[in-house]
Amino acid sequence: MNSVQDVLSGLDPEQRAVAEAVRGPVCVLAGAGTGKTRAITHRIAHAVRSGAVEPQSVLAVTFTTRAAGELRQRLRALGAPGVQARTFHAAALRQLTYFWPRVIGGEAPSVIESKIPVLAEACRLLRRTPDRSELRDVAAELEWAKVCQIGWEDYTAAAAKHNRTPPVSAEEVARLYEAYERIRRERHLVDFETILELTAAVMTEHQEVAAQIRQQYRYFVVDEYQDVNPLQKLLLDTWLGGRDDICVVGDPNQTIYSFTGASPRYLTGFAVEHPNAAVIKLVRDYRSTPQVVDLANLVIAKGGSPHRLSLVAQRPDGPRPVFADYDDEPAEAAGVARAIRKLMDKGVPTREIAVLFRTNSQSESYEEALAKADIPYVVRGGERFFERPEVRQAVVLLRGAARSWSGEPLASEVHHILAGVGLTPAPPGGGKAREKWESLRALADLAEDVAAEGGDLPGFVAELERRASEQHAPPVEGVTLASLHAAKGLEWDAVFLVGLTDGMLPIIYAETPEQIEEERRLLYVGITRAREHLTLSWALSRAPGGRRSRRPSRFLDGLTGRAAAPRAAAPQPRERRQVAAPVSCRVCAKTLVAAAEQKLGRCAACPADYDEALLERLKAWRTAMAKEAKVPPYVVFTDVTLQAIAERAPTSEQELLSIAGIGRVKLDRYGEAVLDLCRSTHS
C-alpha cells in the first residue's frame, strides 16, 4: 500500500467510517461476519500512515494469542509493523516483568499455567481428597472470584449474592481460596489474574511507572469488548489514566462468557461512559448466505434484547437451513455422517465442515459415526496442535535438520523427515492414527506452501516457531468437532448444530432469564459460523428404543416449519414433587422428618441393603456427566439421591420418579442412563 488512500480503498461505508475515526473514543458494534478485524486494522494503519499517531504508541489488545498474531500480521501487510498487538495477559506480564526489579526488587515471580497443582496442595493442607474434576471446578470458581475482585474473605457472601453454584460448599471454597493464595505467595508465583492485578497496583502505587507506561501507550484498541471482565476493565482504565483515546470493538449478540465474570455492560454502556464517543455499527454480513443470516436474525430477535444487531447479508442466495429430527442420538450421529459424506461428494473439503454441540460429552457419538463412515475429523478444544506429541517430535527433527541444511528442496526434505515419524502416502483408517497422520500431513502441506514462495528449510522452521508462539496452527484436513463455546471466532462452509433439545440448549442448569438468553446467544453464535450449508438437528430419545420424550430447543419454536410442542409459560428451574402424606421409613415404619431421610425412604440409623458396586458405578457415571457438562457433580444428582437409587435399584421410569429429588426434567435428561446401570445389576 503506497498511500493513505490505499489503506481506505476496498472498505464499505461503515468500515471506512471506522478507519477514518482515527482518534477516540470510538465504539464499534460489529456483527458476525461484518469484517471487524479488517475495519480496526485499517483504522490503525490509517492513523499511523496519516501521521495521527506513532506506531509504537499503539496498543491493540485482544483475548487470544492467535488473534493477536493475526492482528500483527495484517498490520505488517498494511505498513504498520511497529504496532503492539497483545493479549491482556501478555501486555501486562511484559510491563510487570520490566518494572519488577526497579519498584519491588529481586526476580519477578514465576507464572503458573494452571491453578490445579497449587489447589491440590491446598487440599492436602486442609486434609481433603478431591478428584481432578472437583479441582477443575474449584479453579474455575477462583478465577471468577479473582476477575470480579472478590477476595477469599468475601467469597461466601458474594457467591450467595450472585447465585453461584460452587462444586463444594461456599465456605469450603473460601478455605481453599485462602490456602491457594497463601501457597502462591510463599512460592513466589502469579496466576493470570494476579498478573493483571499486580500491574494495575504497581501503576497506581508508583506514579513514575504509570507515567512511563502512559507515555509509551497513548492509543488503545480493544477487540471482543463484550468479553471484558471487571479486572481487565480495571487494568484498561489504569493504562488510560483518564484519557479517552480508545476504540472498542464487540458484538452484544455474541456475549457467551458471563459465567466467567465477563460483562457486556462495558460495551453496551460505552456511550454513557464516554458521552462524546462515536458509535459505528457494522451490520453487512459478508460471511453467510441470506438464508443463514435470516435465521440468525430471527433467533436473536426473539430474545428481545435492546442491544441486538440485525445483520444484512451481502452474499448470493444459498440453500435453506435444514431442520432434522431423529429417533435417538446414534441415529442423529449416523444421519449427520451421511449428510457430511454427501457434501464431500459435492466437493466440500472436510476442513470446511464442522459439527458443533453444547457440551463436550456429545462428541463421542460423532467421533464413532465419522470413524465408521471413514471420514477424517479433528476434535477442537482438546490438545493444541503444536503440543501434540507427533508435531513436537517433527518440529525437533526439522529444527535439527535446518542447522545442517545443505540446500535440498524444502518440500522433499520435509516429506523425508516426516516419513520417519509416521507420514505415509495414504492415510490410515481412522481414530488416533488418522488424527496423527492428518497433523503430519498439515506440516507437509505448509512446507509445500512455503516452498512455492521460495522459502528454505531454516525459513520454514522459523515460520513454524512463529506459528507456535501465536497458536496459529496450519489447516488440518478433517471435519471439526467442537463445542459452541470453542467455535466462537471460527467459520466453515458447512455447519451441523446437533443435540438441540430443551435441557441441552438451553442447558438444564440455565435457570434465570439472563442465563436462558445467554444460551440463545450461544445458538446464534453457532448459526453464524456457517457460510452456506446449515443443518440443525435433535434426537427424540437418548438410546435406540427409548422413550421419545425430548422436545426441540425452545429457541427453534416457530422456525422449523413444524408446530411447536406446548411449553410452560416460563422455565421451571427445578421440579418439586408434592408429598400428599407423611413419608414412613420402609424398614421400621417411623415417620421421616429429615429431608435426607425422606429422600432415602428410611431412617438414617436403619440398615440398608444395596449393591455397593452399583453405587460406585452411579458415582463414576455422575462424575463423567458433570465433567463433560462442566458443572459440579451435585448438579447432576446429589450423593443422597445416588444412595437412594442404589438402594432401590429402579427398573422403570415410574420407579425412578418415585425417588424424591428426581422430577420429569431429570428423568428426561438422565433417566435412561441411570436405568441402564440399574438394570445391569439385575441381569
Side-chain angles (χ1 to χ4, degrees):
M1 300 218 171
N2 298 319
S3 69
V4 172
Q5 287 306 311
D6 288 339
V7 175
L8 300 177
S9 64
L11 301 178
D12 70 29
E14 294 78 23
Q15 291 171 347
R16 184 172 181 127
V18 173
E20 290 181 330
V22 294
R23 305 307 295 255
V26 177
C27 177
V28 183
L29 300 175
T34 58
K36 69 177 178 68
T37 304
R38 177 179 175 83
I40 60 174
T41 51
H42 281 250
R43 177 182 184 268
I44 294 170
H46 178 50
V48 169
R49 292 172 68 92
S50 66
V53 299
E54 294 295 326
Q56 62 270 18
S57 69
V58 180
L59 180 58
V61 187
T62 188
F63 280 80
T64 67
T65 302
R66 179 175 180 177
E70 183 182 354
L71 284 176
R72 289 194 294 270
Q73 187 174 359
R74 291 201 190 193
L75 288 167
R76 283 194 296 268
L78 290 170
V83 172
Q84 294 294 314
R86 300 183 181 276
T87 65
F88 271 101
H89 297 105
L93 181 60
R94 192 175 188 221
Q95 295 168 11
L96 186 65
T97 303
Y98 179 81
F99 287 106
W100 189 279
R102 183 194 308 178
V103 299
I104 298 175
E107 291 187 6
S110 300
V111 180
I112 54 175
E113 297 289 332
S114 169
K115 292 180 175 62
I116 289 178
V118 180
L119 264 177
E121 187 168 346
C123 286
R124 286 192 291 272
L125 287 177
L126 298 178
R127 297 181 180 178
R128 298 185 80 260
T129 55
D131 58 29
R132 188 169 180 84
S133 64
E134 184 181 289
L135 286 174
R136 187 193 66 237
D137 294 338
V138 172
E141 199 64 12
L142 263 58
E143 287 166 6
W144 169 80
K146 288 166 77 74
V147 302
C148 293
Q149 295 285 273
I150 297 167
W152 66 265
E153 63 278 7
D154 299 318
Y155 171 79
T156 303
K161 177 181 177 181
H162 292 277
N163 297 314
R164 302 292 291 185
T165 55
V168 294
S169 71
E171 293 77 13
E172 191 70 11
V173 171
R175 286 192 288 271
L176 287 168
Y177 189 177
E178 180 188 16
Y180 168 88
E181 286 292 276
R182 186 169 66 250
I183 294 168
R184 184 186 61 74
R185 292 191 181 99
E186 289 172 354
R187 303 287 171 80
H188 199 46
L189 304 172
V190 290
D191 53 29
F192 289 137
E193 296 79 30
T194 307
I195 291 168
L196 306 190
E197 189 175 37
L198 285 177
T199 303
V202 166
M203 290 184 67
T204 301
E205 296 172 11
H206 300 273
Q207 289 303 308
E208 71 280 10
V209 172
Q212 188 170 340
I213 292 175
R214 290 168 187 160
Q215 178 67 25
Q216 170 75 48
Y217 297 116
R218 300 168 173 268
Y219 187 87
F220 292 84
V221 178
V222 186
D223 195 11
E224 302 289 359
Y225 201 60
Q226 78 279 348
D227 292 334
V228 164
N229 62 47
L231 183 53
Q232 291 164 335
K233 182 63 163 59
L234 170 67
L235 177 60
L236 181 61
D237 288 343
T238 308
W239 279 338
L240 284 165
R243 299 168 296 174
D244 63 1
D245 217 341
I246 179 173
C247 172
V248 301
V249 188
D251 181 4
N253 291 356
Q254 297 189 66
T255 303
I256 60 173
Y257 289 108
S258 295
F259 64 93
T260 67
S263 175
R265 71 178 183 271
Y266 302 126
L267 175 65
T268 57
F270 187 84
V272 176
E273 184 180 3
H274 302 278
N276 61 331
V279 179
I280 305 167
K281 295 183 179 181
L282 302 182
V283 296
R284 300 178 196 241
D285 188 324
Y286 297 96
R287 174 188 300 160
S288 305
T289 62
Q291 287 73 19
V292 173
V293 169
D294 287 348
L295 181 62
N297 284 338
L298 284 171
V299 166
I300 207 69
K302 284 177 174 287
S305 169
H307 303 293
R308 68 181 183 273
L309 295 173
S310 184
L311 301 176
V312 180
Q314 304 297 301
R315 287 189 57 182
D317 280 344
R320 290 183 177 278
V322 174
F323 297 89
D325 58 11
Y326 296 89
D327 287 341
D328 50 67
E329 290 180 1
E332 183 181 10
V336 168
R338 288 193 300 271
I340 289 173
R341 175 60 67 184
K342 289 180 180 178
L343 288 172
M344 293 168 61
D345 292 342
K346 293 178 181 178
V348 180
T350 54
R351 66 177 176 275
E352 289 296 347
I353 303 173
V355 179
L356 307 181
F357 30 74
R358 176 60 179 85
T359 69
N360 290 324
S361 62
Q362 296 166 274
S363 176
E364 184 177 356
S365 59
Y366 292 92
E367 294 178 46
E368 293 176 356
L370 293 177
K372 186 175 181 180
D374 194 27
I375 297 173
Y377 64 86
V378 178
V379 180
R380 185 174 180 85
E383 202 170 28
R384 291 179 174 179
F385 180 84
F386 286 101
E387 293 172 0
R388 296 176 184 175
E390 66 272 14
V391 174
R392 294 173 66 179
Q393 182 184 13
V395 171
V396 168
L397 294 174
L398 289 166
R399 190 181 293 122
R403 287 195 288 266
S404 57
W405 183 66
S406 56
E408 297 86 353
L410 170 59
S412 61
E413 179 71 1
V414 171
H415 273 268
H416 174 72
I417 293 170
L418 297 181
V421 292
L423 182 63
T424 56
K432 291 295 182 183
R434 179 63 178 263
E435 193 171 347
K436 174 182 176 180
W437 186 90
E438 294 292 354
S439 297
L440 298 176
R441 179 72 252 179
L443 292 175
D445 290 345
L446 181 61
E448 291 177 4
D449 292 341
V450 172
E453 297 175 0
D456 55 17
L457 186 57
F460 176 63
V461 170
E463 172 68 7
L464 288 179
E465 290 174 345
R466 182 188 69 79
R467 283 172 171 263
S469 68
E470 297 175 355
Q471 289 301 325
H472 182 196
V476 178
E477 197 60 47
V479 174
T480 299
L481 302 179
S483 71
L484 289 164
H485 282 100
K488 186 172 179 290
L490 304 175
E491 58 187 79
W492 296 269
D493 285 345
V495 169
F496 292 81
L497 302 178
V498 300
L500 301 181
T501 59
D502 259 5
M504 185 57 74
L505 193 74
I507 198 75
I508 192 171
Y509 53 83
E511 299 177 349
T512 67
E514 293 77 15
Q515 290 170 336
I516 296 293
E517 286 311 303
E518 183 141 328
E519 295 287 299
R520 179 188 301 278
R521 293 192 295 270
L522 201 52
L523 176 59
Y524 172 87
V525 166
I527 292 171
T528 54
R529 300 311 92 196
R531 299 191 190 103
E532 184 173 359
H533 305 280
L534 177 64
T535 298
L536 304 93
S537 65
W538 57 93
L540 300 176
S541 67
R542 186 183 69 85
R547 190 167 63 93
R548 294 158 51 104
S549 59
R550 292 177 173 177
R551 298 180 300 184
S553 169
R554 69 193 68 172
F555 302 143
L556 302 180
D557 285 355
L559 304 179
T560 66
R562 315 172 192 197
R567 301 179 190 275
Q572 299 300 313
R574 296 183 179 88
E575 292 194 7
R576 293 178 172 84
R577 298 177 67 252
Q578 294 183 347
V579 181
V583 179
S584 300
C585 174
R586 65 176 185 271
V587 179
C588 69
K590 178 183 176 182
T591 299
L592 301 176
V593 178
E597 291 182 337
Q598 289 181 352
K599 184 171 287 190
L600 287 172
R602 62 173 175 82
C603 298
C606 285
D609 182 19
Y610 65 93
D611 186 336
E612 293 186 4
L614 172 59
L615 181 59
E616 290 306 311
R617 288 198 299 273
L618 286 167
K619 287 183 176 180
W621 165 82
R622 180 185 64 172
T623 298
M625 289 297 298
K627 180 179 180 181
E628 296 299 343
K630 296 184 177 180
V631 298
Y634 68 81
V635 171
V636 180
F637 284 124
T638 64
D639 287 346
V640 175
T641 300
L642 289 188
Q643 176 83 19
I645 294 171
E647 290 184 13
R648 302 188 194 185
T651 57
S652 69
E653 291 182 354
Q654 199 58 40
E655 290 178 5
L656 192 57
L657 274 173
S658 70
I659 297 174
I662 300 180
R664 180 61 60 180
V665 172
K666 291 205 172 183
L667 177 69
D668 290 344
R669 182 76 188 96
Y670 305 119
E672 292 181 28
V674 171
L675 289 173
D676 285 347
L677 289 170
C678 293
R679 288 166 184 152
S680 67
T681 300
H682 292 279
S683 59

